[in-house]
Amino acid sequence: MTSSKNAFKALFFAQEQIADLELQLLKRKLRATESPCDTISFVDGRELKAFCSNDYLGLANHPELIKALAVGGKKYGVGSGASHLISGHSMAHEILEKELASFQKQHIPNARALFFSTGYLTNLTAITALARLAPEKSTSIYSAKLNHASLIDGIRLAAAQSQASVTLFDHTHIDSLSNLLKADQNPLKMIVIDGVFSMDGDIAPVKELLMLAEQFDALLLVDDAHGFGVLGKLGHGILEQENICSDRIIYIGTLGKAAGVSGAFVCAQETFIEWLIQKGRPFIYSTATPPAIAHTLSKSLEIIEGDEGRNRRTQLNKLIRIWQDEMHFSQWEKMPSCTAIQPVILGSNANALLASKLLDEAGYWIPAIRPPTVPNGSARLRITFSANHSEADLRQLIATLKAIEHEVNEKVVHD
Ligand SMILES: *Cc1c(COP(=O)(O)O)cnc(C)c1O
């Protein structure tokens, strides 16, 4: 038997820290579903109405996509066998990348796209590789305070690898960003932003940010994880909705949310993509996603851009309007969001957990989102809609939430 005292110190430390998380009501728990991702979930032997996934268009369990996955499996097998640069890059990836680039071609001149297994890896790759487009210590990164963890981690890695300097800014007050950029002498400046903020649901001021990027010679990296598929008439995302075009834009979209499958991509002008292929370490050293997934995604893009996608976006927007008009709380706080992400701020972890538990007892799956995912003191219910929800589903939820708010406020718990 081999063991070392150090290993047991680590074990003791882990047990202690986990117990501490539990005490602070910050311990996270996995729940295994027995059903496909849809508006009804089977979990812990019960049927719950789910208002928590990012499957905004309701495509994750779409019969045509299930069929496309089977066809893709037959045609390409199940594994890619190697990284893209060795032998894992299949015709299915190549076709998908062309289609993804065509979605942004009116917004990024000379657009090319590169497909990744996840959005997390896409952000790590894009930020670290682009930060190397200047000598060490001469890249400045400006990052919105509420950016997604994968952007933050990509920026931290770029700071470690290229000694890039990092400045945080408030995306609701970008005047200060303008002053910072004006004073910045570094040859490479990069503004990094979520298109739709994942825990608040508001949309970034990308038009204004692009003006700043052009004025001060910066790149603008937009992570549109929650906009791709849902924003814009054709579902092409935030650049389509805001009607902007620039060769300074680095666009990131993810494909496991509204697109209903898995994966992500970066779309930018050709030269930047070529640079990522040459220098993007997570891209170079990671096995290519199964081609069958890429094949399925091509079908998903066809649905997004076509009539069915448009109808699904119309339904989603109808649900968002009903929520805005009919959901009134006495103390809980709605956010000024016009997307499918509709958080309800409760403040304390205890209140958020209690509300989530009462919702569970009422047959709903809406987890409590706590720090560090959101700032301290802003624990919340993150409610999300899918085009597969009906108006009746939503009105039932609204009535249930009103009753539960009343019940929670009577108990008033503080952390
Ligand atoms: C979900 C998400 C990601 C990560 O994408 P995955 O494909 O799930 O790894 C990146 N950025 C934002 C804003 C996200 O919400």
Side-chain angles (χ1 to χ4, degrees):
M1 212 172 101
T2 56
S3 68
S4 80
K5 271 192 175 149
N6 286 340
F8 280 96
K9 256 187 207 158
L11 186 64
F12 178 70
F13 184 77
Q15 287 165 340
E16 202 180 51
Q17 292 293 308
I18 292 165
D20 203 39
L21 287 173
E22 181 102 58
L23 273 178
Q24 292 178 54
L25 304 178
L26 289 175
K27 187 163 172 219
R28 300 165 185 248
K29 296 191 177 73
L30 286 168
R31 292 177 89 179
T33 60
E34 297 159 56
S35 55
C37 168
D38 215 323
T39 53
I40 300 288
S41 271
F42 286 90
V43 58
D44 303 331
R46 295 161 61 222
E47 202 180 276
L48 293 177
K49 297 171 196 135
F51 280 88
C52 52
S53 86
N54 303 311
D55 179 27
Y56 306 122
L57 294 180
L59 297 182
N61 189 30
H62 194 292
E64 279 195 53
L65 296 186
I66 296 168
K67 204 158 63 186
L69 184 60
V71 170
K74 238 189 186 130
K75 191 163 175 189
Y76 299 103
V78 291
S80 69
S83 65
H84 283 273
L85 287 166
I86 301 294
S87 60
H89 189 68
S90 122
M91 229 17 236
H93 297 121
E94 189 70 19
I95 292 166
L96 174 65
E97 288 175 344
K98 292 254 154 52
E99 292 164 347
L100 289 167
S102 86
F103 268 36
Q104 306 304 327
K105 68 170 187 263
Q106 275 157 20
H107 312 291
I108 302 175
N110 216 0
R112 181 177 169 190
L114 192 63
F115 176 58
F116 286 79
S117 55
T118 73
Y120 193 101
L121 277 189
T122 312
N123 283 336
L124 285 196
T125 308
I127 296 170
T128 53
L130 293 170
R132 294 174 65 186
L133 291 171
E136 265 194 14
K137 296 187 185 161
S138 52
T139 297
S140 305
I141 301 177
Y142 296 89
S143 173
K145 281 182 189 155
L146 296 183
N147 273 346
H148 188 261
S150 57
L151 293 171
I152 295 171
D153 291 356
I155 291 167
R156 286 180 179 162
L157 196 54
Q161 288 177 349
S162 312
Q163 268 90 66
S165 76
V166 182
T167 310
L168 301 183
F169 68 92
D170 175 350
H171 71 272
T172 61
H173 290 99
I174 59 171
D175 288 355
S176 56
L177 178 61
S178 166
N179 293 331
L180 291 165
L181 285 164
K182 194 182 287 174
D184 188 339
Q185 297 300 316
N186 270 345
L188 177 61
K189 307 174 192 78
M190 192 159 37
I191 303 170
V192 176
I193 189 118
D194 271 16
V196 175
F197 284 85
S198 54
M199 295 298 140
D200 288 14
D202 58 325
I203 297 178
V206 287
K207 235 181 220 159
E208 290 79 0
L209 289 171
L210 179 59
M211 274 162 57
L212 291 180
E214 302 208 307
Q215 191 178 351
F216 300 108
D217 187 18
L219 293 177
L220 176 62
L221 186 147
V222 182
D223 175 352
D224 202 24
H226 301 277
F228 183 79
V230 291
L231 297 182
K233 273 209 167 64
L234 297 167
H236 292 177
I238 192 167
L239 306 182
E240 183 197 357
Q241 169 154 312
E242 301 298 314
N243 192 23
I244 54 177
C245 175
S246 168
D247 52 7
R248 298 176 170 279
I249 298 174
I250 314 292
Y251 179 85
I252 313 274
T254 69
L255 302 165
K257 290 171 179 159
V261 188
S262 172
F265 65 98
V266 50
C267 183
Q269 61 163 306
E270 214 280 327
T271 310
F272 290 142
I273 297 299
E274 192 57 51
W275 177 251
L276 299 190
I277 294 171
Q278 302 309 317
K279 296 291 177 187
R281 290 170 62 87
F283 173 79
I284 298 169
Y285 297 107
S286 196
T287 300
T289 307
I293 295 287
H295 181 80
T296 312
L297 280 163
S298 289
K299 186 74 205 172
S300 171
L301 297 189
E302 191 187 313
I303 294 174
I304 286 173
E305 207 175 37
D307 289 347
E308 183 177 347
R310 201 187 53 231
N311 293 337
R312 285 175 176 271
R313 283 186 289 281
T314 303
Q315 170 66 9
L316 194 58
N317 288 326
K318 204 185 289 171
L319 297 170
I320 295 165
R321 245 184 338 267
I322 291 173
W323 171 268
Q324 287 172 335
D325 293 346
E326 300 178 21
M327 183 75 254
H328 303 291
F329 291 111
S330 61
Q331 291 181 32
W332 294 355
E333 210 186 312
K334 278 199 297 181
M335 299 283 288
S337 158
C338 58
T339 66
I341 302 169
Q342 291 291 342
V344 179
I345 312 292
L346 279 79
S348 81
N349 299 335
N351 275 352
L353 283 173
L354 175 60
S356 177
K357 180 168 160 279
L358 294 173
L359 280 163
D360 178 274
E361 285 164 13
Y364 285 93
W365 191 357
I366 301 176
I369 307 283
R370 290 159 286 164
T373 306
V374 293
N376 279 328
S378 72
R380 65 195 67 187
L381 299 169
R382 178 179 182 268
I383 294 166
T384 53
F385 306 138
S386 152
N388 283 351
H389 285 126
S390 68
E391 293 176 36
D393 291 338
L394 178 56
R395 291 208 163 88
Q396 260 179 28
L397 170 69
I398 289 173
T400 308
L401 277 167
K402 284 178 180 166
I404 287 180
E405 187 199 13
H406 188 70
E407 197 176 338
V408 172
N409 286 345
E410 300 240 295
K411 296 192 179 165
V412 189
V413 212
H414 297 287
D415 284 346

